[in-house]
Amino acid sequence: MYMEKIASFTVDHNKLDRGIYTSRVDGDCYTFDLRMKKPNTGDVLATDAMHAIEHIGATWLRSRFKDQIISFGPMGCRTGFYLITRDLTGQPLVDLVIDAFRFIAVYEGEIPGASAKECGNYRDLSLEGAKHQAAEYLTAIEGYPAAWLDYDHE
C-alpha cells in the first residue's frame, strides 16, 4: 500500500535544533513543532517528565485560550511537543509558548488529571522532571523571534 510522505518527515532532523517551528498550516489551523531536544543526539525527554508537561501544559493552554488551542501533545520521538492552534501564529504564538513553559517551570501543586479516573497511566508523571525540562527549554526560546518559526531560518 502506497503512503505519501508526510510533511514532518521531509524536515532534515539532522539540521534541526531546539526551538519553535511552524510544522504545517491548514486553513486557520497551525501546527507548531515545539522542539525541546536536538534530534538524534540521544538526549530525549523522560516519559514521566514529558507526561507531566503534557498534563500541565494542556490544562494551562486550554484554560487560558480555549477557543484558539486545538491540541497539545507529545512527539513519539520524545524530543518535544506539537501544539495545534486556530488563528494563532507569529509573535503572539511565540510569547504564548514562552509563557506556558515559564508556568510549567515554576508550577507547584497537584498535576492536573493525575488520578486513575482521569488518566490511563497516572503513575508515570514527574513534576520535578517537568519543571527541569521546561526550565531547560526556556534557555533555547527566551527572546525567540517569530522570524525563526520557519524551519529554514538563518
Side-chain angles (χ1 to χ4, degrees), residues 6-118:
I6 61 173
S8 63
F9 294 154
T10 65
V11 174
D12 186 346
H13 286 68
N14 292 315
K15 295 179 181 175
L16 198 56
D17 207 347
R18 298 184 309 153
I20 305 167
Y21 304 98
T22 304
S23 179
R24 59 183 289 156
V25 179
D26 300 288
D28 65 348
C29 292
Y30 298 83
T31 302
F32 295 97
D33 172 340
L34 309 184
R35 192 63 62 158
M36 296 178 69
K37 300 289 185 177
K38 185 167 178 53
N40 301 314
T41 63
D43 182 22
V44 296
L45 295 162
T47 58
D48 58 354
M50 186 173 224
H51 192 188
I53 290 169
E54 177 191 16
H55 277 236
I56 299 164
T59 301
W60 186 86
L61 287 162
R62 290 182 182 137
S63 294
R64 299 197 53 191
F65 302 91
K66 51 182 92 173
D67 294 334
Q68 293 175 291
I69 303 302
I70 295 171
S71 181
F72 175 72
M75 295 177 178
C77 62
R78 296 178 23 219
T79 60
F81 288 82
Y82 288 113
L83 174 61
I84 305 173
T85 67
R86 174 170 286 116
D87 287 326
L88 180 60
T89 189
Q91 199 61 50
L93 177 278
V94 171
D95 295 342
L96 173 66
V97 171
I98 292 168
D99 287 348
F101 279 86
R102 281 181 184 151
F103 180 81
I104 296 166
V106 299
Y107 183 78
E108 294 293 334
E110 296 294 317
I111 296 172
S115 73
K117 182 178 179 180
E118 301 164 305

